Amino acid sequence: MEKELHNFLESDLLNKYLVGDTTIKETQEVEYFISKYPEASDAFDKLQKNLEIIAKAGAVDVPKHILKDILNTLEEDNSPKVIQLVQHKKTPWYSIAASVAAILFAVTSFFLYQKNQNLLEENNIVIDEIFDLRGDIENNNLKLGELSEQLMKLNNPDAKKYVINGNERAKNLKTVAYINPVDKTSMIDVITLPQLPEEQHYQIWAELQDRMVNLGIINEADRKLKPIPYMEDALALSIKIGKKGEETNENNTEVAEISLKNE
């Protein structure tokens, strides 16, 4: 039985089993010896440790002398400690070299596969960021286009500018109205609006010859140019305080007014 164990250890079956190159029958034979003989189990453990050393070496850029040192170490230490017989046969060096090469190839292939997967994930992230950036650029271009169009209207020589300041009831109120009678457009720019109770808001009105027309609600959120209806032959613009959900036309609620006559 010792001779059978010795012959098994001197064979290349443990190396082939470690790299998955055994047949079904050879696999059964190896697993039998590993489970039955501590010498075979120790030899297999040593080969596994050598594989870990090689795997760690393959994970980084390895100097050329490292592989040579590993092969020398394997040749020195690979012989399992068994009962010495009359004849002692060394495992051929080329068999060990072939096993090491196969292991290095497997480790390198796995490392490159993992790196490729990471690169693919990073590439997908970059693509998503590019699409998001394109969306942001399109939105910004749209806003810039709207702003440019508004500035063109403001700089139009036909546009007239009206600064509307608050009265004693709203001293800090200040808005600017831009009215272009040629292309019949009106806009208002809110500068400052005194805060009102939650149930109230500001309304802008146009005074005509025979009536007052509500042009809409203005608030602090309108701190940008806001289009308002253009009223032909308007005599004045006024800002009043009204209750939410109601339309007011009472003079005692007026907080600002500017005449458009002879302007």
Side-chain angles (χ1 to χ4, degrees):
M1 187 58 68
E2 291 176 352
K3 183 177 181 181
E4 183 180 354
L5 173 62
H6 178 74
N7 291 337
F8 169 76
L9 293 173
E10 289 295 316
S11 70
D12 198 29
L13 286 178
L14 278 177
N15 287 332
K16 292 173 64 179
Y17 178 75
L18 188 62
V19 297
D21 195 30
T22 53
T23 63
I24 296 176
K25 184 177 180 181
E26 289 173 336
T27 299
Q28 292 174 346
E29 182 180 354
V30 171
E31 292 177 349
Y32 166 77
F33 276 95
I34 290 175
S35 63
K36 187 168 182 63
Y37 297 100
E39 294 89 344
S41 178
D42 291 342
F44 180 70
D45 290 341
K46 183 175 290 187
L47 284 177
Q48 283 186 314
K49 291 178 180 178
N50 290 335
L51 175 60
E52 293 177 0
I53 295 173
I54 294 171
K56 291 179 180 178
V60 296
D61 294 334
V62 184
K64 294 182 179 179
H65 70 275
I66 295 296
L67 180 58
K68 184 177 179 181
D69 293 343
I70 293 173
L71 292 175
N72 290 336
T73 302
L74 289 175
E75 288 185 354
E76 293 173 1
D77 298 337
N78 194 56
S79 299
K81 301 299 183 294
V82 297
I83 299 173
Q84 296 294 324
L85 300 178
V86 177
Q87 295 182 347
H88 182 74
K89 183 180 178 182
K90 266 191 173 183
T91 302
W93 69 267
Y94 53 82
S95 176
I96 298 175
S99 299
V100 171
I103 295 169
L104 280 175
F105 176 77
V107 171
T108 304
S109 298
F110 178 76
F111 173 75
L112 292 176
Y113 171 78
Q114 288 291 102
K115 190 172 184 180
N116 185 57
Q117 290 298 111
N118 293 336
L119 288 175
L120 287 175
E121 292 178 3
E122 292 176 2
N123 185 55
N124 290 334
I125 293 174
V126 170
I127 290 174
D128 291 340
E129 290 178 348
I130 289 174
F131 277 110
D132 292 340
L133 182 60
R134 286 179 179 174
D136 293 339
I137 291 174
E138 290 177 357
N139 290 334
N140 290 335
N141 287 339
L142 181 61
K143 292 179 180 178
L144 287 174
E146 293 175 350
L147 180 60
S148 176
E149 183 179 353
Q150 291 175 345
L151 290 175
M152 289 179 61
K153 291 181 179 180
L154 296 184
N155 294 326
N156 191 314
D158 297 323
K160 296 182 180 181
K161 176 180 176 180
Y162 301 91
V163 178
I164 308 174
N165 292 309
N167 57 23
E168 291 296 324
R169 300 183 60 188
K171 293 181 179 180
N172 295 329
L173 185 150
K174 185 175 182 179
T175 61
V176 181
Y178 298 90
I179 299 177
N180 190 327
V182 177
D183 60 12
K184 301 186 184 304
T185 57
S186 299
M187 292 185 295
I188 189 166
D189 183 17
V190 175
I191 308 299
T192 57
L193 285 177
Q195 190 171 0
L196 291 174
E198 187 176 350
E199 70 277 4
Q200 295 179 337
H201 58 197
Y202 292 101
Q203 300 173 354
I204 184 166
W205 291 76
E207 180 183 348
L208 301 181
Q209 188 69 38
D210 56 348
R211 68 186 189 281
M212 298 288 291
V213 178
N214 190 340
L215 302 182
I217 297 169
I218 57 174
N219 52 52
E220 280 289 345
D222 297 327
R223 295 180 65 87
K224 61 181 181 178
L225 287 172
K226 174 183 178 180
I228 58 175
Y230 174 79
M231 301 303 298
E232 190 78 39
D233 299 327
L235 303 177
L237 291 177
S238 61
I239 297 175
K240 300 183 180 185
I241 297 176
K243 290 185 178 180
K244 292 183 179 179
E246 298 180 6
E247 183 174 301
T248 183
N249 190 18
E250 301 175 4
N251 292 330
N252 60 357
T253 62
E254 188 175 279
V255 293
E257 183 180 19
I258 189 168
S259 174
L260 304 181
K261 295 179 180 179
N262 301 323
E263 294 288 345

